Amino acid sequence: IVQEIIFMCRVQNVTVSDTLGAFVARAVVLENAEAFPLDKELDENDVQELIRLSTEKLLEKNSPSAETVKMQVGFDVARVQETEELERARSKREQREAVLVNEISNAKLKVGNDTEALTSLYRKIFNFLVVRAGIESGADRPAEREIAAALESVFPRIGLKAFTALSHDDKAAQLMELSNIVLG
């Protein structure tokens, strides 16, 4: 039915989305409950009448109600797309966080003064905080500087050796607590 409504509108040079066609068809059914009872199956004449009424509604010129419906459907579609995009971004960020937490928690130092490993670990902790803040690396330098300053204030580099002595789970818990403190 929806595809037929879209086709009939396209014949009249009016572009209609699947969502808008379905919304208008449903509205026509609800507005005309006596003609389209929900408890009986539509016969061919009912289907043709539904298509005709829906197409007429979509082709109305200078109709505030039709324009309002079009805007509402457009808004709803955009909201759904934005929600899906935000969910994908959140999921991607959480995956990156999990990888960094695992790398940091599994970090081991060599015996002695392994400054290269300590520097690398501190950089990973900083990168974790940047990802956790939802910032793309290098995209917001002032924010990164603030995170670096807060990290140095809350967790100076001298504390790394004690941090590396913790168990894997304790390191992960400390990272989450550190992110809560540094990021607010």
Side-chain angles (χ1 to χ4, degrees):
I1 293 174
V2 172
Q3 293 304 317
E4 187 68 23
I5 293 168
I6 292 169
F7 175 76
M8 296 301 287
C9 290
R10 195 176 314 129
V11 167
Q12 299 292 325
N13 293 323
V14 175
T15 304
V16 174
S17 69
D18 290 354
T19 308
L20 180 58
F23 185 87
V24 170
R26 188 180 69 159
V28 167
V29 167
L30 294 175
E31 285 175 359
N32 301 296
E34 64 283 341
F36 307 109
L38 297 176
D39 59 346
K40 83 171 187 85
E41 196 171 313
L42 299 176
D43 62 25
E44 185 59 34
N45 291 335
D46 292 339
V47 169
Q48 291 306 316
E49 182 65 10
L50 176 58
I51 291 169
R52 185 186 67 75
L53 290 171
S54 299
T55 303
E56 285 176 3
K57 192 124 182 118
L58 287 165
L59 295 176
E60 286 179 1
K61 299 280 188 224
N62 300 323
S63 171
S65 64
E67 291 303 315
T68 301
V69 167
K70 289 176 185 177
M71 286 189 291
Q72 182 63 45
V73 169
F75 175 81
D76 288 346
V77 168
R79 184 183 50 80
V80 167
Q81 290 171 343
E82 182 67 18
T83 301
E84 290 171 352
E85 182 62 34
L86 288 172
E87 182 59 31
R88 278 192 296 275
R90 185 191 60 75
S91 176
K92 183 179 172 184
R93 190 188 84 238
E94 286 177 354
Q95 288 174 347
R96 288 175 48 208
E97 284 178 23
V99 167
L100 285 167
V101 166
N102 200 30
E103 285 178 8
I104 294 166
S105 297
N106 290 331
K108 302 282 187 229
L109 296 179
K110 296 176 187 165
V111 179
N113 197 9
D114 192 1
T115 56
E116 186 177 316
L118 287 172
T119 302
S120 174
L121 178 60
Y122 204 75
R123 192 174 307 117
K124 286 179 183 178
I125 292 171
F126 170 76
N127 289 338
F128 165 73
L129 293 171
V130 169
V131 168
R132 184 110 172 132
I135 301 169
E136 282 295 321
S137 185
D140 190 351
R141 291 290 184 204
E144 288 182 11
R145 281 194 292 275
E146 290 212 19
I147 291 172
L151 175 60
E152 187 64 40
S153 172
V154 174
F155 186 54
R157 292 174 193 258
I158 196 143
L160 279 175
K161 281 197 177 186
F163 177 79
T164 57
L166 297 173
S167 69
H168 183 281
D169 292 341
D170 288 342
K171 287 178 189 176
Q174 288 294 318
L175 282 171
M176 292 305 157
E177 186 61 30
L178 179 65
S179 73
N180 289 337
I181 293 169
V182 170
L183 301 175

